[in-house]
Coordinates of all heavy atoms in Angstrom, one line a residue:
P1378 N -218.5 -85.1 126.0 CA -217.5 -84.9 125.0 C -218.0 -84.1 123.8 O -219.2 -84.2 123.5 CB -217.1 -86.3 124.6 CG -217.5 -87.2 125.7 CD -218.7 -86.5 126.3
P1379 N -217.1 -83.3 123.2 CA -217.6 -82.5 122.1 C -218.1 -83.2 120.8 O -218.8 -82.6 120.0 CB -216.3 -81.7 121.8 CG -215.2 -82.4 122.3 CD -215.7 -83.2 123.5
N1380 N -217.8 -84.5 120.7 CA -218.2 -85.2 119.5 C -219.5 -86.0 119.8 O -219.9 -86.9 119.1 CB -217.2 -86.1 118.9 CG -216.7 -87.2 119.9 OD1 -216.9 -87.1 121.1 ND2 -216.1 -88.2 119.3
N1381 N -220.2 -85.7 120.9 CA -221.5 -86.3 121.3 C -222.6 -85.3 121.1 O -222.4 -84.2 121.5 CB -221.5 -86.9 122.7 CG -220.7 -88.1 122.9 OD1 -220.2 -88.7 121.9 ND2 -220.5 -88.6 124.1
L1382 N -223.7 -85.8 120.6 CA -224.9 -84.9 120.5 C -226.0 -85.7 121.2 O -226.3 -86.8 120.9 CB -225.2 -84.7 119.1 CG -226.4 -83.8 118.8 CD1 -226.2 -82.4 119.2 CD2 -226.8 -83.9 117.3
I1383 N -226.7 -85.0 122.1 CA -227.9 -85.6 122.8 C -229.1 -85.0 122.2 O -229.3 -83.8 122.2 CB -227.8 -85.4 124.3 CG1 -226.5 -86.0 124.8 CG2 -229.0 -85.9 125.0 CD1 -226.2 -85.7 126.3
I1384 N -230.0 -85.9 121.8 CA -231.3 -85.5 121.3 C -232.4 -86.0 122.3 O -232.5 -87.1 122.6 CB -231.7 -86.2 119.9 CG1 -230.7 -85.7 118.9 CG2 -233.1 -85.8 119.5 CD1 -230.8 -86.5 117.6
G1385 N -233.1 -85.0 122.9 CA -234.1 -85.3 123.8 C -235.5 -85.4 123.1 O -235.7 -84.7 122.1
I1386 N -236.3 -86.3 123.6 CA -237.6 -86.5 123.0 C -238.7 -86.5 124.1 O -238.6 -87.2 125.1 CB -237.7 -87.8 122.2 CG1 -236.6 -87.9 121.2 CG2 -239.1 -88.0 121.5 CD1 -236.6 -89.3 120.5
T1387 N -239.7 -85.7 123.9 CA -240.8 -85.6 124.8 C -241.9 -86.7 124.5 O -241.9 -87.2 123.4 CB -241.5 -84.3 124.9 OG1 -242.1 -84.0 123.6 CG2 -240.5 -83.2 125.2
K1388 N -242.8 -86.9 125.4 CA -243.9 -87.9 125.1 C -244.8 -87.4 123.9 O -245.4 -88.3 123.3 CB -244.7 -88.1 126.3 CG -245.5 -86.9 126.8 CD -246.3 -87.3 128.1 CE -247.0 -86.1 128.7 NZ -247.7 -86.5 129.9
S1389 N -244.8 -86.1 123.6 CA -245.6 -85.6 122.5 C -244.8 -85.6 121.2 O -245.3 -85.2 120.2 CB -246.2 -84.2 122.8 OG -245.1 -83.3 123.0
G1390 N -243.5 -86.0 121.2 CA -242.8 -86.2 120.0 C -241.9 -84.9 119.7 O -241.5 -84.8 118.6
E1391 N -241.8 -84.0 120.6 CA -240.9 -82.9 120.4 C -239.4 -83.3 120.5 O -239.1 -84.1 121.4 CB -241.2 -81.8 121.4 CG -242.6 -81.1 121.2 CD -242.8 -80.1 122.3 OE1 -242.9 -80.5 123.5 OE2 -242.9 -78.9 121.9
F1392 N -238.6 -82.8 119.6 CA -237.2 -83.0 119.7 C -236.5 -81.8 120.2 O -236.8 -80.7 119.9 CB -236.6 -83.3 118.2 CG -237.3 -84.5 117.6 CD1 -238.2 -84.3 116.6 CD2 -236.9 -85.8 117.9 CE1 -238.8 -85.4 115.9 CE2 -237.5 -86.9 117.3 CZ -238.5 -86.7 116.3
F1393 N -235.5 -82.1 121.1 CA -234.7 -81.0 121.8 C -233.2 -81.3 121.6 O -232.8 -82.5 121.8 CB -235.1 -80.9 123.2 CG -236.4 -80.2 123.5 CD1 -237.5 -81.0 123.5 CD2 -236.4 -78.9 123.8 CE1 -238.8 -80.3 123.7 CE2 -237.6 -78.3 124.0 CZ -238.8 -79.0 124.0
V1394 N -232.5 -80.3 121.3 CA -231.0 -80.3 121.4 C -230.6 -79.1 122.1 O -231.0 -78.0 121.8 CB -230.4 -80.3 120.0 CG1 -228.9 -80.3 120.0 CG2 -230.8 -81.6 119.2
N1395 N -229.8 -79.3 123.2 CA -229.4 -78.2 124.0 C -230.5 -77.3 124.5 O -230.5 -76.1 124.4 CB -228.3 -77.3 123.3 CG -227.0 -78.0 123.1 OD1 -226.7 -78.9 123.9 ND2 -226.4 -77.7 122.0
K1396 N -231.6 -77.9 124.9 CA -232.8 -77.3 125.5 C -233.6 -76.5 124.5 O -234.4 -75.7 124.8 CB -232.4 -76.4 126.7 CG -231.9 -77.3 127.8 CD -231.6 -76.4 129.0 CE -231.0 -77.3 130.1 NZ -230.7 -76.5 131.3
K1397 N -233.3 -76.6 123.2 CA -234.0 -75.9 122.1 C -234.8 -76.9 121.3 O -234.3 -77.9 120.9 CB -233.0 -75.2 121.2 CG -233.7 -74.3 120.2 CD -232.8 -73.5 119.3 CE -233.6 -72.7 118.3 NZ -233.1 -72.6 117.0
A1398 N -236.1 -76.6 121.1 CA -237.0 -77.4 120.3 C -236.7 -77.3 118.9 O -236.4 -76.3 118.3 CB -238.4 -77.1 120.7
Y1399 N -236.8 -78.5 118.2 CA -236.6 -78.6 116.7 C -237.8 -79.4 116.1 O -238.1 -80.4 116.7 CB -235.3 -79.2 116.4 CG -234.1 -78.4 116.7 CD1 -233.5 -78.5 118.0 CD2 -233.6 -77.5 115.8 CE1 -232.4 -77.7 118.3 CE2 -232.5 -76.7 116.1 CZ -231.9 -76.8 117.4 OH -230.8 -76.0 117.7
S1400 N -238.2 -79.0 114.9 CA -239.1 -79.8 114.1 C -238.3 -80.9 113.5 O -237.0 -80.9 113.6 CB -239.8 -79.0 113.0 OG -238.8 -78.6 112.1
E1401 N -238.9 -81.9 112.9 CA -238.1 -83.0 112.2 C -237.2 -82.4 111.2 O -236.0 -82.8 111.1 CB -239.0 -84.0 111.5 CG -239.7 -84.9 112.5 CD -240.6 -85.9 111.8 OE1 -240.3 -86.3 110.6 OE2 -241.6 -86.3 112.4
A1402 N -237.6 -81.5 110.4 CA -236.8 -80.9 109.3 C -235.7 -80.1 109.9 O -234.5 -80.1 109.4 CB -237.7 -80.0 108.4
E1403 N -235.9 -79.3 111.0 CA -234.9 -78.5 111.6 C -233.9 -79.4 112.3 O -232.7 -79.2 112.3 CB -235.5 -77.6 112.7 CG -236.3 -76.5 112.1 CD -237.2 -75.8 113.2 OE1 -237.5 -76.4 114.2 OE2 -237.5 -74.6 112.9
L1404 N -234.3 -80.5 112.9 CA -233.4 -81.5 113.5 C -232.5 -82.1 112.5 O -231.3 -82.2 112.7 CB -234.2 -82.6 114.2 CG -233.4 -83.7 114.9 CD1 -232.6 -83.0 116.1 CD2 -234.3 -84.8 115.4
K1405 N -233.0 -82.5 111.3 CA -232.2 -83.0 110.3 C -231.2 -82.0 109.8 O -230.0 -82.4 109.6 CB -233.1 -83.5 109.1 CG -232.3 -84.2 108.0 CD -233.2 -84.7 106.9 CE -232.5 -85.4 105.8 NZ -233.4 -85.9 104.8
E1406 N -231.6 -80.8 109.7 CA -230.6 -79.7 109.3 C -229.5 -79.6 110.3 O -228.3 -79.5 110.0 CB -231.3 -78.4 109.0 CG -230.5 -77.3 108.5 CD -231.2 -76.0 108.3 OE1 -232.4 -76.1 107.9 OE2 -230.6 -74.9 108.4
K1407 N -229.9 -79.5 111.6 CA -229.0 -79.3 112.7 C -228.0 -80.4 112.8 O -226.8 -80.2 112.9 CB -229.8 -79.2 114.0 CG -229.0 -79.2 115.3 CD -228.5 -77.8 115.6 CE -227.9 -77.8 117.0 NZ -227.3 -76.5 117.3
I1408 N -228.5 -81.7 112.8 CA -227.5 -82.8 113.0 C -226.7 -83.0 111.7 O -225.6 -83.5 111.7 CB -228.2 -84.1 113.5 CG1 -229.2 -84.6 112.6 CG2 -228.7 -83.8 114.9 CD1 -229.8 -85.9 113.1
G1409 N -227.3 -82.7 110.5 CA -226.6 -82.8 109.3 C -225.4 -81.9 109.3 O -224.3 -82.3 108.9
F1410 N -225.6 -80.7 109.7 CA -224.5 -79.7 109.8 C -223.4 -80.2 110.8 O -222.2 -80.1 110.5 CB -225.1 -78.3 110.3 CG -224.0 -77.3 110.6 CD1 -223.5 -76.6 109.5 CD2 -223.5 -77.1 111.8 CE1 -222.5 -75.6 109.7 CE2 -222.5 -76.1 112.1 CZ -222.0 -75.4 111.0
K1411 N -223.9 -80.7 111.9 CA -222.9 -81.2 112.9 C -222.1 -82.4 112.4 O -220.9 -82.5 112.6 CB -223.6 -81.5 114.2 CG -224.1 -80.3 115.0 CD -224.0 -80.5 116.5 CE -224.5 -79.3 117.2 NZ -223.4 -78.5 117.7
A1412 N -222.8 -83.3 111.7 CA -222.2 -84.5 111.1 C -221.1 -84.1 110.1 O -220.1 -84.8 110.0 CB -223.2 -85.4 110.5
K1413 N -221.3 -83.1 109.4 CA -220.3 -82.6 108.4 C -219.1 -81.9 109.0 O -218.0 -81.9 108.5 CB -221.0 -81.6 107.4 CG -221.9 -82.3 106.5 CD -222.6 -81.2 105.5 CE -223.6 -81.9 104.7 NZ -224.4 -80.9 103.9
N1414 N -219.3 -81.4 110.2 CA -218.3 -80.6 110.8 C -217.6 -81.2 112.1 O -216.6 -80.6 112.5 CB -218.9 -79.2 111.2 CG -219.2 -78.4 110.0 OD1 -218.4 -77.9 109.3 ND2 -220.5 -78.2 109.7
I1415 N -218.1 -82.3 112.5 CA -217.6 -82.9 113.7 C -217.2 -84.4 113.3 O -218.1 -85.2 113.0 CB -218.5 -82.9 114.9 CG1 -218.8 -81.5 115.3 CG2 -217.9 -83.7 116.1 CD1 -219.9 -81.3 116.4
A1416 N -216.0 -84.7 113.4 CA -215.5 -86.1 113.1 C -216.1 -87.1 114.1 O -216.1 -86.8 115.3 CB -214.0 -86.2 113.0
N1417 N -216.5 -88.2 113.7 CA -216.9 -89.3 114.5 C -218.1 -88.9 115.5 O -218.0 -89.3 116.7 CB -215.8 -89.9 115.3 CG -214.7 -90.4 114.4 OD1 -215.0 -91.1 113.5 ND2 -213.5 -90.1 114.7
L1418 N -219.0 -88.1 115.0 CA -220.1 -87.7 115.8 C -220.9 -88.9 116.3 O -221.3 -89.7 115.5 CB -221.0 -86.7 115.0 CG -222.2 -86.1 115.8 CD1 -221.7 -85.2 116.9 CD2 -223.1 -85.3 114.8
S1419 N -221.2 -88.9 117.6 CA -222.1 -89.9 118.2 C -223.4 -89.2 118.6 O -223.3 -88.1 119.1 CB -221.4 -90.6 119.4 OG -220.2 -91.2 119.0
V1420 N -224.5 -89.9 118.5 CA -225.8 -89.4 119.0 C -226.3 -90.3 120.1 O -226.3 -91.5 119.9 CB -226.8 -89.2 117.8 CG1 -228.1 -88.9 118.3 CG2 -226.3 -88.2 116.8
V1421 N -226.8 -89.6 121.1 CA -227.5 -90.3 122.2 C -229.0 -89.8 122.2 O -229.2 -88.6 122.2 CB -226.9 -90.1 123.6 CG1 -227.8 -90.8 124.6 CG2 -225.5 -90.6 123.6
I1422 N -229.9 -90.7 122.0 CA -231.3 -90.3 122.0 C -231.9 -90.5 123.4 O -231.9 -91.7 123.8 CB -232.1 -91.1 120.9 CG1 -231.5 -90.7 119.5 CG2 -233.6 -90.7 120.9 CD1 -232.0 -91.6 118.4
M1423 N -232.3 -89.5 124.0 CA -232.8 -89.6 125.4 C -234.3 -89.5 125.4 O -234.9 -88.5 124.8 CB -232.3 -88.5 126.3 CG -230.8 -88.5 126.6 SD -230.3 -89.8 127.7 CE -231.2 -89.4 129.1
A1424 N -235.0 -90.4 125.9 CA -236.5 -90.4 125.9 C -236.9 -90.8 127.3 O -236.3 -91.6 128.0 CB -237.0 -91.4 124.9
D1425 N -238.0 -90.2 127.8 CA -238.6 -90.7 129.0 C -239.5 -91.9 128.8 O -239.7 -92.3 127.7 CB -239.3 -89.5 129.8 CG -240.5 -89.0 129.1 OD1 -241.1 -89.7 128.3 OD2 -240.8 -87.8 129.3
E1426 N -240.0 -92.4 129.9 CA -240.7 -93.7 129.8 C -242.1 -93.5 129.0 O -242.6 -94.4 128.5 CB -241.0 -94.3 131.1 CG -241.8 -93.4 132.0 CD -242.0 -94.0 133.4 OE1 -241.1 -94.8 133.9 OE2 -243.0 -93.7 134.1
E1427 N -242.5 -92.3 128.9 CA -243.8 -92.0 128.2 C -243.6 -91.7 126.8 O -244.6 -91.5 126.0 CB -244.5 -90.9 128.9 CG -245.0 -91.3 130.3 CD -245.9 -90.2 131.0 OE1 -246.4 -89.4 130.3 OE2 -246.0 -90.3 132.2
S1428 N -242.4 -91.5 126.3 CA -242.1 -91.2 124.9 C -242.4 -92.4 124.0 O -242.0 -93.5 124.4 CB -240.7 -90.8 124.7 OG -240.4 -89.6 125.4
A1429 N -243.1 -92.2 122.9 CA -243.5 -93.3 122.0 C -242.2 -93.7 121.3 O -241.4 -92.9 120.9 CB -244.5 -92.8 121.1
I1430 N -242.1 -95.0 121.1 CA -240.9 -95.5 120.4 C -240.8 -95.0 119.0 O -239.7 -94.8 118.4 CB -240.9 -97.1 120.4 CG1 -239.5 -97.6 119.9 CG2 -242.0 -97.6 119.6 CD1 -238.4 -97.4 120.8
K1431 N -242.0 -94.6 118.4 CA -241.9 -94.1 117.0 C -241.1 -92.9 116.9 O -240.5 -92.6 115.8 CB -243.4 -93.9 116.5 CG -244.1 -92.8 117.1 CD -245.5 -92.7 116.5 CE -246.3 -91.6 117.2 NZ -247.7 -91.6 116.7
Y1432 N -241.1 -92.0 117.9 CA -240.3 -90.8 117.9 C -238.8 -91.1 118.0 O -238.0 -90.5 117.3 CB -240.7 -89.8 119.0 CG -242.2 -89.4 118.9 CD1 -243.0 -89.6 120.0 CD2 -242.7 -88.9 117.7 CE1 -244.4 -89.3 119.9 CE2 -244.0 -88.6 117.6 CZ -244.9 -88.7 118.7 OH -246.2 -88.4 118.6
A1433 N -238.4 -92.1 118.7 CA -237.0 -92.5 118.8 C -236.6 -93.1 117.5 O -235.5 -92.8 117.0 CB -236.8 -93.5 120.0
V1434 N -237.4 -93.9 116.9 CA -237.1 -94.4 115.6 C -237.0 -93.3 114.5 O -236.1 -93.4 113.7 CB -238.2 -95.5 115.2 CG1 -238.0 -95.9 113.7 CG2 -238.1 -96.7 116.1
K1435 N -237.8 -92.3 114.6 CA -237.8 -91.2 113.7 C -236.4 -90.5 113.8 O -235.7 -90.2 112.8 CB -238.9 -90.3 113.9 CG -238.9 -89.0 113.1 CD -238.8 -89.2 111.6 CE -240.1 -89.5 111.0 NZ -240.0 -89.7 109.5
A1436 N -236.0 -90.2 115.1 CA -234.7 -89.6 115.3 C -233.6 -90.4 114.8 O -232.6 -89.9 114.2 CB -234.5 -89.3 116.8
M1437 N -233.6 -91.8 115.0 CA -232.6 -92.6 114.4 C -232.6 -92.6 112.9 O -231.5 -92.5 112.3 CB -232.9 -94.1 114.9 CG -232.6 -94.3 116.4 SD -233.2 -95.9 116.9 CE -232.0 -96.9 116.1
D1438 N -233.7 -92.6 112.3 CA -233.8 -92.5 110.8 C -233.2 -91.2 110.3 O -232.4 -91.2 109.3 CB -235.2 -92.6 110.3 CG -235.8 -94.0 110.4 OD1 -235.0 -94.9 110.6 OD2 -237.1 -94.1 110.4
I1439 N -233.4 -90.1 111.0 CA -232.9 -88.8 110.6 C -231.3 -88.9 110.7 O -230.6 -88.4 109.9 CB -233.4 -87.7 111.5 CG1 -234.9 -87.4 111.1 CG2 -232.6 -86.4 111.3 CD1 -235.7 -86.5 112.1
C1440 N -230.8 -89.4 111.8 CA -229.4 -89.6 112.0 C -228.8 -90.4 110.8 O -227.8 -90.0 110.3 CB -229.1 -90.3 113.3 SG -229.4 -89.3 114.8
R1441 N -229.4 -91.5 110.5 CA -228.9 -92.3 109.4 C -228.9 -91.6 108.1 O -228.0 -91.7 107.3 CB -229.6 -93.6 109.3 CG -229.3 -94.6 110.5 CD -229.9 -95.9 110.3 NE -229.8 -96.7 111.5 CZ -230.8 -97.0 112.3 NH1 -232.0 -96.7 112.0 NH2 -230.6 -97.7 113.3
Q1442 N -229.9 -90.8 107.9 CA -230.1 -90.0 106.6 C -228.9 -89.0 106.4 O -228.5 -88.8 105.3 CB -231.4 -89.3 106.5 CG -232.6 -90.2 106.4 CD -233.9 -89.4 106.5 OE1 -234.0 -88.2 106.5 NE2 -235.0 -90.2 106.7
V1443 N -228.4 -88.5 107.5 CA -227.3 -87.6 107.4 C -225.9 -88.3 107.6 O -224.9 -87.6 107.7 CB -227.4 -86.4 108.3 CG1 -228.7 -85.6 108.0 CG2 -227.4 -86.8 109.8
G1444 N -225.9 -89.6 107.7 CA -224.6 -90.3 107.7 C -224.1 -90.7 109.1 O -223.0 -91.1 109.3
I1445 N -224.9 -90.5 110.1 CA -224.5 -90.8 111.5 C -224.9 -92.3 111.8 O -226.1 -92.6 111.7 CB -225.1 -89.9 112.5 CG1 -224.7 -88.4 112.3 CG2 -224.7 -90.3 114.0 CD1 -225.4 -87.4 113.1
T1446 N -223.9 -93.1 112.1 CA -224.2 -94.5 112.4 C -224.0 -94.9 113.9 O -224.4 -95.9 114.3 CB -223.4 -95.4 111.5 OG1 -222.0 -95.1 111.7 CG2 -223.7 -95.2 110.0
N1447 N -223.3 -94.0 114.6 CA -223.0 -94.3 116.0 C -224.1 -93.7 116.8 O -224.1 -92.5 117.2 CB -221.6 -93.8 116.4 CG -221.2 -94.3 117.8 OD1 -221.9 -95.0 118.4 ND2 -220.0 -93.8 118.2
I1448 N -225.2 -94.5 117.1 CA -226.4 -94.0 117.7 C -226.7 -94.9 118.9 O -226.7 -96.1 118.8 CB -227.6 -94.0 116.8 CG1 -227.3 -93.3 115.5 CG2 -228.8 -93.4 117.4 CD1 -228.2 -93.6 114.3
A1449 N -227.0 -94.2 120.0 CA -227.5 -95.0 121.2 C -228.8 -94.4 121.7 O -229.1 -93.3 121.5 CB -226.4 -94.8 122.3
I1450 N -229.5 -95.3 122.4 CA -230.8 -94.8 123.0 C -230.7 -95.0 124.5 O -230.2 -96.1 125.0 CB -232.0 -95.7 122.4 CG1 -232.2 -95.4 120.9 CG2 -233.3 -95.3 123.2 CD1 -233.3 -96.2 120.3
A1451 N -231.1 -94.0 125.2 CA -231.1 -94.1 126.7 C -232.4 -93.6 127.2 O -233.1 -92.8 126.6 CB -230.0 -93.2 127.2
E1452 N -232.8 -94.2 128.3 CA -234.1 -93.8 129.0 C -233.8 -92.9 130.1 O -232.9 -93.1 130.9 CB -234.8 -95.0 129.5 CG -236.1 -94.7 130.1 CD -236.9 -95.9 130.7 OE1 -236.3 -97.0 130.7 OE2 -238.0 -95.8 131.1
E1453 N -234.5 -91.8 130.2 CA -234.4 -90.9 131.3 C -235.1 -91.5 132.5 O -236.3 -91.8 132.4 CB -235.0 -89.5 130.9 CG -234.5 -88.4 131.7 CD -235.1 -87.1 131.1 OE1 -234.9 -86.8 129.9 OE2 -235.7 -86.4 131.9
I1454 N -234.4 -91.6 133.6 CA -235.0 -92.2 134.8 C -235.2 -91.2 135.8 O -234.2 -90.4 136.2 CB -234.0 -93.3 135.3 CG1 -233.9 -94.4 134.3 CG2 -234.6 -93.9 136.6 CD1 -232.8 -95.5 134.6
E1455 N -236.4 -91.1 136.4 CA -236.7 -90.1 137.4 C -236.1 -90.7 138.8 O -236.2 -91.9 139.0 CB -238.2 -89.9 137.5 CG -238.7 -89.1 136.4 CD -240.1 -88.7 136.6 OE1 -240.5 -88.4 137.7 OE2 -240.8 -88.6 135.6
R1456 N -235.6 -89.8 139.6 CA -235.1 -90.3 140.9 C -236.0 -89.7 142.0 O -236.5 -88.7 142.0 CB -233.7 -89.8 141.1 CG -232.8 -90.5 140.1 CD -231.4 -90.0 140.2 NE -230.6 -90.4 139.1 CZ -229.7 -91.3 139.1 NH1 -229.3 -91.8 140.2 NH2 -229.0 -91.6 138.0

């Protein structure tokens, strides 16, 4: 859906949105812009099993800083 944003996190702590890498500051700017322009924006944080929880927590903190409260965490499962 257009009001969902997926943030991918690698095991080394890189953040990705739409296959583009972002630093923490760039991520905050990107989702801050989206939060201002998309009503009821929801964020799904996707991390693989090797991603450190600290990176997911950092992404959640960034979301909260820009006013996003509808946040979910999902694990990427290999098949």
